Amino acid sequence: RRTVSEYLYLTRDAGTTCIDCQATAIKNATVINFVGERFLQEVVDDYFLDREIIPASVRQEVKEKYSAGTAWAILNAPSASMCPENCAYLVKKFGPDDDVIEAKKDNLLEFQRRTGLNANPEAILFYWPSRLDPFQKGVELLERIALPFVRKYQDAQIAIIADDIGENNRYGGILGGLAMASEGRIAYQPYSEELSLLGYGAANDVFGASLYEPCGQIDQIGNLFGATATNRDTGGYHDKIRELRLKVHGAPQDVGNGFLFRDFDSGGLWYGLERSLAFHRLSPELREGQIKRIMKEAREKYQNIKVYTSSYTSSDRAVTDMEKEGLVKVITDKKGIILGAHIVGANAGEIIQGFIIAKSLRTPLNKMAQMLFIYPTLSELIKKTAAKSFIEKANNPLVKFLIKLMKAI
């Protein structure tokens, strides 16, 4: 029989034996989930050992789970409401079936007016919406190249809508100084949701320079808002950004949504921005088709997911056992195949086994609503969550029509 200490990850700190809570949680988890395949692989392959990013204890336990096949990667996705068609902060809403470039010019002029950039609807706007974090986001690379870049390329503008980390406002002050010296070609303002989303609606390219990135969402939102994405080839950006290659330049077909650079230095960032600039200098007719394609592909990839939740309060067992604090959350693709599940509450590790089996067998969530679960047990939470998918399918207009037709026969 195992002792309690065998379930713990113990470490020494200042001469005292301590429990490493994060490593212990990973050690005892049935399954662990990362939000990107590449970042999981980087952790397992001992990337970033020279930086205090992943504690050795956490890396060790992640490797154990990975070797056992119980470390998964389920990509994050932006909210389904995150679209320029629905954004209240744009002066011109638009979708992939509209004249995207013209709509973005209207938003660009408003963004320029509000940030102090030179008013120029033909300017190529590079937009940085990430926090000013020198530890992860590479803001020091932006500091080095921003002013030389816009001075060399007179049709380029750079806008940063972001907050410093901490309280010293170091990089905000530096970027504000660069903006003042740029003669209207660089803008910096602290983060606000309204201005940030207007920036997405105005941008030609949404960029960053991450040292590492578990997932990242600025590229996803940028693509949804009709912008290319440029970032370093690491973590989530490796998973999601594909090099833009065009048939007119000899590629077999039009593919990709942005540009990647390898080296974490100012030369790497400069290279990535130059490649994006070259694309955005192409004819409007050529760019329009590519931007529409990127927007449509982003919608297909990121917005065909569904989320179903159930509270522990819906379980009679949870109520009688006074364990009402808890939540079940299941994520599926558009066909109902389970992509992942999260459970917080009593006996979560046991309940989630049902979803693990269904995911492994690729069983649609709505099918689980037709299975029998012992009453009253917490396992019924699986059925209650699955029933929401089943009811949703039953309420589909086509299904209702077929049922009505069958009754009439």
Side-chain angles (χ1 to χ4, degrees):
R1 186 174 181 178
R2 298 181 68 182
T3 63
V4 172
S5 62
E6 291 180 276
Y7 291 92
L8 305 177
Y9 193 105
L10 302 176
T11 187
R12 298 283 293 177
D13 183 38
T16 303
T17 300
C18 306
I19 298 173
D20 185 322
C21 294
Q22 189 174 22
T24 296
I26 296 171
K27 182 175 184 176
N28 289 279
T30 304
V31 174
I32 63 171
N33 176 57
F34 278 59
V35 291
E37 181 67 39
R38 179 65 173 183
F39 185 66
L40 169 58
Q41 196 66 53
E42 287 171 344
V43 172
V44 172
D45 290 344
D46 288 335
Y47 280 54
F48 317 119
L49 287 177
D50 59 331
R51 311 246 179 168
E52 294 182 0
I53 297 173
I54 308 296
S57 57
V58 170
R59 194 185 293 269
Q60 178 180 326
E61 292 303 320
V62 168
K63 287 181 177 181
E64 292 290 338
K65 286 290 188 283
Y66 185 83
S67 297
T70 54
W72 295 352
I74 302 173
L75 192 67
N76 263 354
S79 167
S81 63
M82 189 67 73
C83 281
E85 300 97 315
N86 307 320
C87 184
Y89 302 128
L90 302 186
V91 296
K92 183 68 175 289
K93 298 178 182 180
F94 61 94
D97 296 324
D98 298 316
D99 190 333
V100 176
I101 289 180
E102 286 304 311
K104 289 183 76 72
K105 285 180 180 179
D106 289 346
N107 290 307
L108 175 60
L109 284 170
E110 176 64 14
F111 185 76
Q112 289 167 335
R113 184 187 70 80
R114 294 179 57 180
T115 59
L117 289 168
N118 294 332
N120 177 7
E122 304 302 325
I124 298 171
L125 179 64
F126 292 93
Y127 179 45
W128 175 292
S130 298
R131 66 185 182 273
L132 308 181
D133 178 1
F135 188 72
Q136 178 189 356
K137 299 296 185 180
V139 64
E140 68 275 24
L141 307 185
L142 172 63
E143 174 197 346
R144 293 172 199 158
I145 68 105
L147 197 55
F149 191 85
V150 297
R151 283 176 173 169
K152 180 174 181 179
Y153 300 112
Q154 296 288 307
D155 54 345
Q157 293 182 346
I158 294 177
I160 306 102
I161 307 297
D163 288 335
D164 260 293
I165 60 172
E167 299 178 356
N168 61 10
N169 198 35
R170 176 189 174 190
Y171 283 100
I174 292 171
L175 294 171
L178 293 177
M180 291 180 65
S182 71
E183 299 179 339
R185 292 198 292 276
I186 298 175
Y188 165 72
Q189 289 200 26
Y191 173 82
S192 75
E193 181 181 16
E194 181 176 353
L195 196 55
S196 179
L197 288 173
L198 179 60
Y200 280 108
N204 295 88
D205 186 277
V206 176
F207 77 104
S210 291
L211 171 65
Y212 67 95
E213 192 64 63
C215 180
Q217 290 196 326
I218 64 170
D219 58 314
Q220 297 169 317
I221 300 172
N223 288 165
L224 289 168
F225 276 68
T228 54
T230 298
N231 219 303
R232 199 173 85 82
D233 189 4
T234 187
Y237 296 127
H238 174 91
D239 293 332
K240 295 171 292 164
I241 299 177
R242 291 292 175 264
E243 290 287 325
L244 190 59
R245 303 184 188 281
L246 307 181
K247 289 179 68 174
V248 295
H249 295 156
Q253 61 185 33
D254 295 329
V255 295
N257 57 350
F259 306 92
L260 292 167
F261 58 93
R262 184 191 64 188
D263 297 332
F264 184 71
D265 56 30
S266 53
L269 177 56
W270 186 288
Y271 167 79
L273 295 184
E274 276 191 328
R275 297 195 62 212
S276 178
L277 183 71
F279 167 73
H280 289 288
R281 283 175 165 176
L282 297 175
S283 70
E285 295 77 17
L286 180 57
R287 287 187 290 117
E288 181 78 22
Q290 296 307 314
I291 293 302
K292 287 176 181 290
R293 174 184 61 78
I294 289 170
M295 292 176 72
K296 290 175 181 177
E297 289 177 356
R299 280 157 174 71
E300 179 69 24
K301 185 173 183 179
Y302 301 129
Q303 297 194 332
N304 283 319
I305 66 167
K306 295 183 178 293
V307 179
Y308 303 93
T309 62
S310 292
S311 169
Y312 267 51
T313 56
S314 65
S315 164
D316 290 343
R317 171 57 67 186
V319 173
T320 57
D321 289 352
M322 304 298 288
E323 296 283 4
K324 294 186 289 183
E325 296 293 326
L327 180 73
V328 177
K329 176 180 177 181
V330 182
I331 304 167
T332 74
D333 65 14
K334 63 181 179 180
K335 295 180 180 179
I337 302 299
I338 295 172
L339 301 175
H342 307 272
I343 301 179
V344 178
N347 298 314
E350 297 177 16
I351 301 169
I352 205 169
Q353 290 289 345
F355 294 121
I356 293 172
I357 293 170
K359 182 179 187 301
S360 300
L361 297 176
R362 294 186 59 79
T363 302
L365 180 63
N366 67 296
K367 294 291 185 183
M368 299 183 75
Q370 303 169 38
M371 300 177 183
L372 293 176
F373 292 86
I374 299 172
Y375 177 87
T377 65
L378 291 175
S379 66
E380 273 211 316
L381 285 165
I382 297 174
K383 186 168 186 174
K384 288 182 180 296
T385 308
K388 296 183 178 183
S389 173
F390 183 83
I391 293 170
E392 183 180 77
K393 285 190 175 295
N395 286 330
N396 183 291
L398 178 59
V399 173
K400 284 186 173 181
F401 171 77
L402 291 175
I403 292 173
K404 185 177 179 180
L405 185 65
M406 291 173 67
K407 285 182 178 180
I409 295 176

